[in-house]
Amino acid sequence: MYGNIAKKLVKSLALVAFMASTCFAFSEGSDYVTLKKPIPNAKNTLIKVFSYDCPFCYKYDKQVTPKVVPRLPADLQFRPFHLKTKGKYGPQGSELFAVLLVRDQKNGLKDKDLYSEKSLLKKAKMAYYNAYHDKKERWDAGPDAYLQTGLNAVGMTRAEFDKEKNDPKVKALLKEWDASYEVAKIQGVPAFVVNGKYLIMTKSITSVDSMLQLINELKSK
Amino acid sequence: MKPTEMFNTFKAAPIQTIAGWQDKRFLWILMAAVSLFMVILAHSVFQIWLYMRPCEQCVYIRFAFFCMAFGGIIAAIYPKNIGLKLVGYALAFWGTIQGIGYSLKLNKIHEAAHSDNPFGVQGCNPEPTFPFHLPLDKWFPEWFKPTGDCGYDNPIIPDGVVLSNLQKTITDFYQDGWYLWPPSHFMNMAQACLITFGICLLVLAVAAACWLLTLWRKHKTHEVSPHNYSTQAR
């Protein structure tokens, strides 16, 4: 009789193991959603939508994204998008970040170097995170005070910035970044989008490895 | 009725007594008052006076308290009316259950935001989606537009604002965010809301159960009585 029970137990355990292995694959709705309005020209990219005014973006930029980006597949380009609609100085932040990203590119930084110490974008971003979230700075003096924080962090003058923000490359980047809003309003920021089509559900990310696994799967979908 | 008398009637027939209570206005008004007190405290004291900004989950929690307040007010119009009472119960139950969900979610976000493990939660969305797609944040932005971030409720004082001594003392007290006892970070806002909703749910469940039980008993005696009549008539 006990042998019978043991057999049943083994059978049901085997069944559970089988179900678990087939259910392991990521599923739409809980791990990711397909965007109704895909981001144009985003084949082979991982887009990260972020805002300086978002504590989880800060958390991710400290603990997650710097570990994920260098390990991305070679044929997947990493592209940061700043969300201009969040935060009082969202538009100013976007302009400065776009200027600095173009400068990083001119300095020969590849997309996967954007978390290296050489990146101006990273320097300014961290300066804003630190001021806003750690020091509770709100720049009530106005947009100029806001800009100064980022300019100081990268050692850029206001005149240089004012000139470079009219660069057609910067303008084009800002225009592309406008797609951020439609993505951000689905589940907030940070938001990660693979191939401009698949938005990762941030709450289902359990580790750096699981995030990379999901990105890899969505990439070849 | 004297308190001792009240206690004796309660002891003699607890279920009927509780069922009797929810036919009176007192409990309904109490529930509405507690809910309104919580929302007004959050809005007028913490948000306006102490510059602590509401987050996405916080405005949902306000919505849940408003549901309970409306339920209480509607039932209190005439608690003996079964229709009004049902509307009151429906709104109140729905509010507490939703509120518990929002509080649990906020607590999870709060823990993640204050730890080194940001996984497993989603931060706040500045674009709230209320039940039934009610555009409450557009209609009443002062009350329902999230301006803060989930897990962070520290007072943020705009430049140029001169605080009174009292305001200064209290905002300093809450500088690490809202806690029931800030110096030791004891019980965050989400946990405090969870307990409030939990107590409301418990009270509601007991009241509703006693009411249904008495209704069912009455129904049973009614079912028996016609038979008795007929035997008597014979």
Side-chain angles (χ1 to χ4, degrees), chain A residues 59 138 140 181 185 187 202, chain B residues 113 115 122 125 127 156 159:
Chain A
K59 287 252 150 191
R138 288 299 180 269
D140 291 320
Y181 176 72
K185 76 175 189 191
Q187 51 143 23
T202 322
Chain B
S115 75
Q122 173 64 46
N125 195 340
E127 305 268 317
I156 291 163
D159 274 0

Side-chain angles (χ1 to χ4, degrees), chain A residues 53-56 59-60 63-64 86 132 136 138 140-141 181 184-190 202-203 205-208, chain B residues 53 109 112-127 148-150 152 154 156-159 175:
Chain A
D53 172 338
C54 141
F56 272 80
K59 287 252 150 191
Y60 266 73
Q63 288 150 355
V64 186
K86 186 168 161 64
Y132 187 87
K136 309 287 170 204
R138 288 299 180 269
D140 291 320
Y181 176 72
K185 76 175 189 191
I186 298 171
Q187 51 143 23
V189 279
T202 322
K203 66 169 184 292
I205 302 173
T206 51
S207 66
V208 168
Chain B
R53 304 173 187 199
I109 297 175
H114 293 272
S115 75
D116 287 332
N117 178 8
F119 297 117
V121 295
Q122 173 64 46
C124 267
N125 195 340
E127 305 268 317
D149 283 302
C150 290
Y152 295 91
N154 327 48
I156 291 163
I157 296 130
D159 274 0
Q175 60 169 331

Side-chain angles (χ1 to χ4, degrees), chain A residues 26 32 42-46 71-78 112 193-200 211-221:
Chain A
F26 298 105
Y32 68 92
K43 190 93 189 80
N44 300 323
T45 64
L46 171 69
R71 288 172 59 195
L72 286 175
D75 57 344
L76 200 68
Q77 200 198 2
F78 173 68
K112 291 182 183 79
V193 182
V194 180
N195 284 348
K197 259 190 350 208
Y198 305 111
L199 170 70
I200 292 175
M211 190 175 170
L212 278 163
Q213 224 173 348
L214 177 57
I215 291 169
N216 269 298
E217 189 176 299
L218 293 176
K219 178 185 89 115
S220 43
K221 239 179 115 70

Side-chain angles (χ1 to χ4, degrees), chain B residues 208-226:
Chain B
C210 292
W211 176 49
L212 292 177
L213 204 64
T214 352
L215 276 187
W216 182 69
R217 279 182 185 165
K218 262 189 206 155
H219 177 73
K220 249 179 100 178
T221 45
H222 273 286
E223 250 180 11
V224 174
S225 48

Side-chain angles (χ1 to χ4, degrees), chain B residues 46 87 101 118 133 155 159 185-186 193 201 210 220:
Chain B
F46 291 118
V87 172
H133 289 277
D159 274 0
H185 288 194
F186 171 71
C193 289
L201 183 62
C210 292
K220 249 179 100 178

Side-chain angles (χ1 to χ4, degrees), chain A residues 7 34 39 49 55 103 118 132 216 219:
Chain A
K7 244 186 218 166
T34 308
I39 303 172
V49 178
R103 265 222 181 174
K118 280 184 234 152
Y132 187 87
N216 269 298
K219 178 185 89 115

